Structures are given as C-alpha cells and as structure tokens.
Amino acid sequence: IFLELAGTLAEVRSYLPRLGYEFTFADPDLPFAYFGMGPDESYRDSCHHGRVGFNESTASREYVPYVRPQEHGNHIAAKRLSLENGLSFDGDFEFCVSRCSARDLLSAAHAEELPETGTTTVRVDWADAGLGSGSCGPMLLPEYRLTGPGVRFSFVLSPFI
C-alpha cells in the first residue's frame, strides 16, 4: 500500500509539533527492527549522539520516564521500520513505537496515570519539531520548527515474511 500526504500548511502563528500517521496494534509490547537513527531517541535538534544503522527494540524499551509523561522514543532518518507482526514501512520518515498514544500522553500528569491499554502505538511522521521550548529554556530555533509551506510525504506499507 502506497500512502501519500501532500498539501500546503496554512500560515499559523506558531508551528506544528509533528505531522504524520498513527497506527494502533493489539500487542502490549510490540518488537520491531529499523534502519534509522538510534539506538536512543532522536529529534531534529537532538541527534548528534546517535548513529544511522540497523537497530532492534520493543515498545516498552522505547519509553523514557520523563518527570511528566510526554512524547518519547522518536527516531529520525528512518528508511525502514519492520514490526514483528509482519508489517513493514519503507520510505523517508521519522517514527515512534510506544505503549502510549499521543492522547494518553497529553492527558496524564504523572506516569501512574498512563493507562494500560494492551496496545502498541506506531507513529510514522513526515517530521517532528525539535525538543526545545520556552517551558524550560529558549524558544525552539526556527530551523527546527515545522512551518511548511509545502508537504509531500509518502511511504509504503507492506507485509513481509
């Protein structure tokens, strides 16, 4: 299956945190392998510690116990993501595999408030904004913001043996 997202971003006062697709799978700790930046999480403004190559992990190993639950486990410069359930994503993208959905993370103030859903969320994104913010330091630098104007993003979703 070829999936493509193409369009323009409306002029906004701020920037998008990310843009892409979110999939949910009925597996509480989905193992996966990928070719991309790893083995630790990486974002466009926080990636010099990583290396591009083949890596393996699970949804639970990707969790980062920040003081307040928040986005975690992103990987940039990905070319392939293969899930143990037999699906593969191929293209140029960023991704995250987590036991938490974006909605779960937004609604929890403490780790113990994160629900045990028995699922794994896989996010495949055109891009994520950088980590910097005005909450604990300077605002995110312009080169790490997602502001557009044009977006063209595609990947292939296929079964593998």
Side-chain angles (χ1 to χ4, degrees):
I1 298 171
F2 177 77
L3 291 147
E4 182 176 41
L5 175 67
T8 57
L9 300 176
E11 192 168 321
V12 294
R13 293 178 186 246
S14 187
Y15 55 89
L16 294 173
R18 70 169 175 263
L19 182 63
Y21 299 89
E22 189 170 280
F23 304 87
T24 303
F25 297 98
D27 186 322
D29 195 20
L30 188 60
F32 63 96
Y34 65 97
F35 183 82
M37 182 73 71
D40 298 318
E41 67 179 4
S42 58
Y43 293 83
R44 54 186 31 212
D45 64 343
S46 179
C47 59
H48 297 291
H49 63 284
R51 59 172 171 67
V52 173
F54 289 100
N55 297 280
E56 294 181 345
S57 191
T58 63
S60 62
R61 280 192 288 192
E62 292 295 298
Y63 181 71
V64 179
Y66 292 115
V67 173
R68 181 180 174 103
Q70 58 189 288
E71 182 163 327
H72 58 273
N74 193 64
H75 296 280
I76 66 170
K79 302 292 184 197
R80 170 168 265 201
L81 170 62
S82 299
L83 307 176
E84 190 177 81
N85 66 7
L87 289 176
S88 178
F89 300 82
D90 293 283
D92 290 310
F93 55 90
E94 297 183 21
F95 77 91
C96 172
V97 177
S98 176
R99 293 174 55 191
C100 308
S101 70
R103 186 175 305 249
D104 292 340
L105 293 169
L106 280 173
S107 61
H110 306 284
E112 59 271 9
E113 295 171 4
L114 291 170
E116 289 292 334
T117 62
T119 62
T120 294
T121 298
V122 175
R123 224 183 48 238
V124 177
D125 291 333
W126 165 61
D128 277 34
L131 295 175
S133 71
S135 65
C136 60
M139 290 302 293
L140 186 60
L141 295 173
E143 62 264 31
Y144 301 125
R145 297 177 187 174
L146 300 184
T147 57
V151 174
R152 181 167 296 281
F153 165 57
S154 62
F155 60 91
V156 174
L157 174 60
S158 58
F160 72 92
I161 299 174

